């Protein structure tokens, strides 16, 4: 690994006697892990049923849902696919995530029912980790300024079966006024110079420069300014990077505390790859001093009412939902509110129907990529359910569920028809107790409804 001299000189000064230990780790393989998605089932369900013999002793120390997966000797010619290509991945059973990147959310103090913002959210590892801890309760906003990255984020939110998340795409300064002191928790996983990515991604070494470090530090200050304005009094914020530069880490923390006297530093930690089993991360935990009363509460309540009024004409009238109600009566074996957990309202864009958190504020003038749970499409005299809905369901939620074999699941994910006797109509297809999508059964054949753009097995 060819590191630039400017980097070596700086890191030598910082680490002193530890530099040789750090340098040695850079010649080792990167550390791989996955985090079990508890929205799809308990951790012990995965441990008891996973096909790679991942065990409790492989657990990431700082994340009870995280497990190391390096050393799995599997190649694409084997019948058993690696975790990133296995049907469990498509079903959102887990998220493949660098282990030290799991640490910041563990410090966010996520609780059910809160309003939470992941301000720099792509590709979605930390967003989906937050969502699992929320258990479907409260409102989660995931923001990513760059459209292509925001699309990837939205797809991961769908894959993980998250029902209470709104994905938006804005620069932080564009939304700070709209969400003034609105959020109880904010995660700022800021874009950085990526020094913790050197072992994992050689391109990060090529792109590194002192100028880039300075540019990133400046950008991070701007993001922190916006985050401060959106954090409610009494709220908690975690600032994190995957770099080791003091300009982007400790110096930015000190600047932030000098800038905002009502912010208290609760914890600061730097995870070095020669000290922990991971690529490395930095995190700082802040709390906004106050009594917890949100001064923007009345404004947000007014925005929520305005948002409801704007959308009432779209979907609240039951006459607009006849096809979905007919589908629900036939397909679900319990009320939708028992499936979604949170209180919701219907929102309709064109023919697309969504179930959004009931207390959702106005989304006027926001670029929204995902709005709660996409239920499906209202077509003439019928309703066609979406993949998002399938991935948010469990076989215990529906009247018609079909368990597929490993080979049948691969066939389904390729877009092939399944020859199987089943109750006529829509059916939820499962593999290993996890939903993978919808099919429609007729004459001993299950027609494939897996989206064409995702068929890649």
């Amino acid at each position: 690994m060819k590191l630039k001299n400017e980097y070596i000189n700086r890191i030598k000064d910082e680490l002193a006697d530890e530099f040789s230990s750090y340098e040695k780790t850079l010649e080792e393989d990167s550390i791989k892990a996955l985090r079990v998605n508890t929205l799809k089932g308990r951790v012990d369900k995965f441990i008891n049923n996973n096909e790679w013999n991942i065990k409790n002793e492989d657990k990431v120390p700082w994340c009870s849902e995280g497990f190391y997966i390096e050393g799995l000797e599997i190649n694409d010619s084997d019948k058993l696919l690696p975790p990133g290509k296995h049907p469990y991945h498509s079903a959102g059973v887990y998220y493949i995530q660098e282990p030290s990147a799991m640490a910041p959310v563990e410090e966010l103090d996520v609780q059910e029912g809160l309003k939470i913002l992941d301000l720099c959210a792509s590709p979605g590892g930390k967003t989906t980790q937050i969502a699992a801890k929320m258990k479907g309760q409260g409102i989660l906003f995931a923001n990513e300024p760059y459209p292509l990255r925001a699309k990837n984020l939205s797809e991961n939110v769908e894959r993980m079966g998250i029902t209470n998340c709104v994905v938006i795409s804005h620069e932080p300064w564009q939304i700070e006024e709209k969400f003034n002191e609105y959020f109880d928790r904010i995660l700022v996983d800021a874009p950085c110079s990526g020094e913790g990515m050197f072992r994992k991604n050689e391109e990060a070494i090529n792109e590194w420069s002192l100028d880039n470090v300075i540019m990133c530090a400046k950008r991070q200050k701007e993001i922190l300014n916006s985050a401060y304005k959106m954090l409610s009094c009494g709220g908690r914020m975690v600032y994190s990077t995957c770099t080791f530069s003091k300009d982007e880490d400790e110096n930015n923390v000190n600047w932030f505390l000098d800038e905002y006297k009502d912010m208290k530093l609760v914890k600061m930690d730097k995870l070095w790859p020669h000290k922990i089993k991971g690529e490395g991360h930095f995190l700082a935990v802040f709390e906004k001093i106050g009594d917890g009363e949100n001064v923007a509460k009345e404004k947000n309540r007014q925005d929520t009412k305005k948002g409801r009024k704007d959308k009432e004409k779209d979907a609240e009238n039951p006459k607009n939902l006849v096809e979905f109600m007919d589908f629900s009566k036939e397909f679900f074996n319990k009320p939708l509110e028992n499936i979604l957990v949170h209180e919701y309202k219907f929102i309709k864009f064109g023919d697309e129907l969504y179930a959004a958190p009931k207390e959702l504020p106005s989304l006027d003038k926001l670029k929204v990529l995902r709005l709660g749970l996409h239920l499906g499409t209202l077509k003439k005299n019928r309703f066609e359910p979406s993949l998002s809905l399938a991935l948010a369901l469990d076989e215990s939620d529906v009247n018609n569920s079909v368990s597929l074999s490993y080979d049948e699941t691969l066939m389904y994910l390729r877009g092939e028809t399944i020859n199987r006797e089943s109750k006529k109509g829509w059916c939820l297809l499962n593999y290993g107790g996890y939903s993978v999508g919808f099919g429609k059964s007729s004459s001993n054949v299950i027609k494939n409804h897996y989206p064409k753009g995702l068929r890649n097995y």
Side-chain angles (χ1 to χ4, degrees), residues 5 54 109 170 214 226 254 300 367 429 431:
N5 289 333
I54 297 170
D109 186 29
H170 287 276
I214 294 169
S226 294
N254 292 332
N300 294 326
K367 300 173 189 172
L429 303 179
Y431 172 66

Side-chain angles (χ1 to χ4, degrees), residues 301-311 362 364:
R301 182 157 46 246
Q302 291 170 358
D303 282 349
T304 300
K305 290 177 180 177
K306 178 179 181 293
R308 286 179 182 167
K309 186 177 179 181
D310 291 344
K311 302 302 176 185
S362 169
D364 185 43

Side-chain angles (χ1 to χ4, degrees), residues 36 64 70 92 165 176 181 219 270 300 336 356 450 455:
V36 177
S64 60
E70 77 275 6
C165 183
E176 63 185 36
E181 293 200 334
R219 170 72 171 138
K270 183 166 280 187
N300 294 326
L336 185 60
Y450 195 66
R455 300 174 182 179

Side-chain angles (χ1 to χ4, degrees), residues 269-414:
D269 198 7
K270 183 166 280 187
L271 307 177
W272 291 95
H274 63 287
K275 292 184 176 181
I276 55 104
K277 195 175 177 182
E279 301 305 299
H281 231 71
F282 170 83
L283 64 89
V285 184
F286 302 95
E287 287 181 358
K288 201 174 205 178
I289 300 168
D291 59 8
E293 282 297 314
N294 187 339
V295 298
K297 192 176 289 182
E298 182 58 36
K299 177 182 183 299
N300 294 326
R301 182 157 46 246
Q302 291 170 358
D303 282 349
T304 300
K305 290 177 180 177
K306 178 179 181 293
R308 286 179 182 167
K309 186 177 179 181
D310 291 344
K311 302 302 176 185
E312 276 174 356
K313 62 180 181 294
D314 287 327
E316 292 299 326
N317 188 337
K319 288 190 289 188
N320 293 328
L321 302 173
V322 172
E323 295 87 353
F324 175 71
M325 294 305 179
D326 289 344
F327 167 85
S328 298
K329 198 177 300 181
E330 179 181 345
F331 189 70
F332 298 136
N333 62 19
K334 62 184 71 170
L336 185 60
E337 53 265 30
N338 291 353
I339 297 172
L340 296 183
V341 182
H342 60 80
E343 290 188 81
Y344 64 91
K345 59 182 177 181
F346 291 113
I347 294 180
K348 185 168 169 276
F349 290 102
D351 294 325
E352 305 303 320
L353 183 63
Y354 295 79
K358 191 172 184 180
E359 295 304 316
L360 193 70
S362 169
L363 302 178
D364 185 43
K365 298 181 181 178
L366 289 179
K367 300 173 189 172
V368 180
L369 282 78
R370 182 165 296 276
L371 179 62
L373 178 64
H374 180 212
L375 296 170
T377 307
L378 294 162
K379 299 192 174 183
K380 189 175 181 180
N381 298 322
R382 64 187 176 92
F383 174 77
E384 187 166 302
S386 70
L387 177 63
S388 297
L389 177 58
L391 294 175
L393 294 174
D394 182 80
E395 56 189 337
S396 64
D397 297 325
V398 304
N399 292 316
N400 191 10
S401 175
V402 177
S403 294
L404 302 178
S405 69
Y406 181 81
D407 289 334
E408 286 176 327
T409 304
L410 294 181
M411 289 172 60
Y412 174 74
L413 296 172
R414 287 195 294 265

Side-chain angles (χ1 to χ4, degrees), residues 26 35 99-100 110 123 134 178 183 220 283 306 325 333:
L26 296 181
R35 179 178 42 76
S100 58
V110 175
M134 295 179 77
K178 185 174 188 63
F183 294 103
Q220 290 151 1
L283 64 89
K306 178 179 181 293
M325 294 305 179
N333 62 19

